[in-house]
Amino acid sequence: MIDKQAFNLALEEIDRTLVVLAADGYRGFDCSPQSLEKIENWGQHPDGFAETLEDIRADLGDCRRCRLARGRKNIVFGAGLPAAKLVFVGEGPGFEEDQQGQPFVGAAGQLLTRIIGAIKLDRAQVYICNIIKCRPPGNRNPESDEIKSCFPFLERQLAAIQPDFIVALGAFAAQTLLETNTPISRLRKRFHEYNGIKVLPTYHPAYLLRNPDKKRDVWEDMKMLMKEYRYED
Ligand code: URA
Ligand code: URA
């Protein structure tokens, strides 16, 4: 004999669940990796399912939201651990990054890889991305309307990753994230805050390639980061 009341309560529960799932763009039950991941993550966020990096990448699509789309070869979305505790944010893709669709893979990227190694981590343990996802022609600085189109995607990526720390590489990344015009030389050496995430600005590895004497300063910043990073474990 079926307990009618329990059965009706179960139906109501299923009904409510389906409403929440539908609101999240979910179109049915299946066993795709995406659906299983959503089910796995159920209940971890007070407002239902938080979007994943894959959701954000899918929404970005073959982005044509600004003029940089015309000159790029590849969108450089970001790379690394989706649940990274530490995120490095650069300016935007250069030539090599545009060719490969991966962040920090050129000369500056090789130096960044060494910096990450120096703090006893590797690239797969952090997340690496940029303020801008498409290479500006001739590596010019991104313009404000380009940042406006692109930055919301980075904000969503950071909300999905929920890191404890961001290292802002160079003046452009630091000033954009912190909404300030203060020079990088005065921003570095201490933690700032972005949406509850500790932000440590430091010099850009491309700047270090031209000014090797500044590596000492970056090392000081990285030591500061390591201390806090271990403390948060
Ligand atoms: N410089 C950046 O700021 N980002 C990259 O991805 C590569 C070089
Ligand atoms: N100016 C920049 O834009 N970035 C640096 O890292 C240093 C100086």
Side-chain angles (χ1 to χ4, degrees):
M1 185 71 185
I2 293 171
D3 178 339
K4 229 171 159 184
Q5 199 186 355
F7 184 73
N8 283 334
L9 284 174
L11 275 184
E12 280 171 27
E13 174 65 25
I14 291 167
D15 190 50
R16 273 197 302 275
T17 304
L18 288 174
V19 169
V20 174
L21 289 169
D24 199 53
Y26 200 80
R27 292 291 166 260
F29 283 111
D30 61 51
C31 292
S32 68
Q34 291 86 344
S35 301
L36 292 176
E37 191 187 338
K38 287 193 171 198
I39 291 165
E40 189 104 320
N41 293 336
W42 174 257
Q44 288 184 12
H45 300 278
D47 53 356
F49 297 127
E51 59 180 358
T52 64
L53 291 175
E54 286 90 31
D55 296 332
I56 301 162
R57 182 65 191 87
D59 186 22
L60 187 63
D62 181 35
C63 185
R64 303 269 147 200
R65 292 171 182 80
C66 88
R67 68 181 79 77
L68 296 181
R70 280 187 247 134
R72 70 150 187 258
K73 179 170 178 197
N74 285 299
I75 293 176
V76 179
F77 183 69
L81 189 67
K85 187 167 143 182
L86 168 61
V87 174
F88 288 85
V89 178
E91 177 170 336
F95 179 81
E96 272 306 319
E97 290 77 22
D98 179 53
Q99 291 294 307
Q100 298 184 36
Q102 294 296 323
F104 282 97
V105 288
Q110 285 166 26
L111 180 50
L112 177 61
T113 303
R114 292 213 299 279
I115 292 169
I116 294 169
I119 58 171
K120 306 276 185 280
L121 293 169
D122 62 55
R123 288 175 65 119
Q125 292 174 291
V126 301
Y127 194 82
I128 305 175
C129 53
N130 288 297
I131 300 283
I132 288 278
K133 293 180 171 31
C134 295
R135 181 184 181 229
N139 294 340
R140 68 158 167 76
N141 280 343
E143 288 170 13
S144 62
D145 59 331
E146 295 158 358
I147 299 165
K148 225 177 185 162
S149 313
C150 208
F151 191 59
F153 288 91
L154 178 62
E155 290 187 291
R156 287 165 61 185
Q157 284 169 282
L158 292 170
I161 297 167
Q162 296 192 297
D164 293 330
F165 300 97
I166 295 173
V167 171
L169 297 167
F172 182 83
Q175 291 173 348
T176 305
L177 278 170
L178 301 174
E179 296 184 277
T180 177
N181 293 319
T182 307
I184 182 77
S185 56
R186 291 212 285 122
L187 290 172
R188 58 166 291 271
K189 254 172 112 168
R190 63 192 166 91
F191 287 100
H192 302 254
E193 201 237 74
Y194 166 85
N195 285 353
I197 307 167
K198 290 182 182 134
V199 178
L200 183 62
T202 195
Y203 294 125
H204 194 289
Y207 175 76
L208 296 183
L209 291 174
R210 300 189 301 270
N211 302 273
D213 57 310
K214 298 287 193 219
K215 284 183 185 172
R216 187 191 302 266
D217 288 343
V218 171
W219 180 233
E220 290 303 319
D221 293 337
M222 291 304 104
K223 279 197 291 199
M224 230 181 97
L225 170 70
M226 264 200 290
K227 234 188 201 165
E228 287 274 317
Y229 186 96
R230 306 285 175 229
Y231 182 73
E232 296 257 328
D233 261 340

